[in-house]
């Protein structure tokens, strides 16, 4: 487990800069534009849970894998 301060810093520095690309990805793969924010939040939650256990080696690749799986599961 990692501490909360590290997790918050990691999220702000590593994940949030990818948000514009993530939004475009969701918009391309999900028909209802009104649900983009909800899907993004689900993805972020899964990212934070994973990162609290162990930091993904490639944040971008992991983020988009989580996004793809989240959209598929919906």
């Amino acid at each position: 487990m990692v501490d909360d301060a590290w997790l918050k810093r990691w999220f702000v520095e590593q994940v949030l800069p990818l948000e514009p690309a993530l939004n475009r990805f969701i918009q391309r793969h999900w028909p209802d534009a009104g649900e983009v924010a909800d899907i993004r939040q689900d993805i972020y939650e899964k990212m934070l849970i994973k990162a609290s256990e162990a930091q993904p080696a490639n944040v971008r690749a992991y983020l988009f894998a989580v996004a793809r799986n989240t959209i598929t599961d919906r």
Side-chain angles (χ1 to χ4, degrees):
M1 296 284 299
V2 297
D3 66 58
D4 286 342
W6 179 89
L7 190 59
K8 288 176 186 176
R9 188 173 52 257
W10 173 83
F11 187 79
V12 169
E13 292 174 1
Q14 300 292 318
V15 180
L16 283 184
L18 299 171
E19 188 169 297
L22 177 61
N23 284 333
R24 288 189 301 274
F25 179 87
I26 297 168
Q27 290 167 351
R28 279 195 314 270
H29 294 91
W30 191 256
D32 187 352
E35 294 183 5
V36 169
D38 290 337
I39 294 170
R40 186 180 63 236
Q41 289 308 114
D42 289 346
I43 294 164
Y44 285 165
E45 179 181 7
K46 292 173 184 177
M47 289 290 294
L48 285 168
I49 290 169
K50 173 64 176 174
S52 71
E53 298 167 1
Q55 181 183 6
N58 185 326
V59 175
R60 183 180 183 87
Y62 188 72
L63 174 66
F64 286 99
V66 170
R68 185 177 54 254
N69 292 339
T70 300
I71 290 170
T72 300
D73 290 348
R74 282 185 165 229

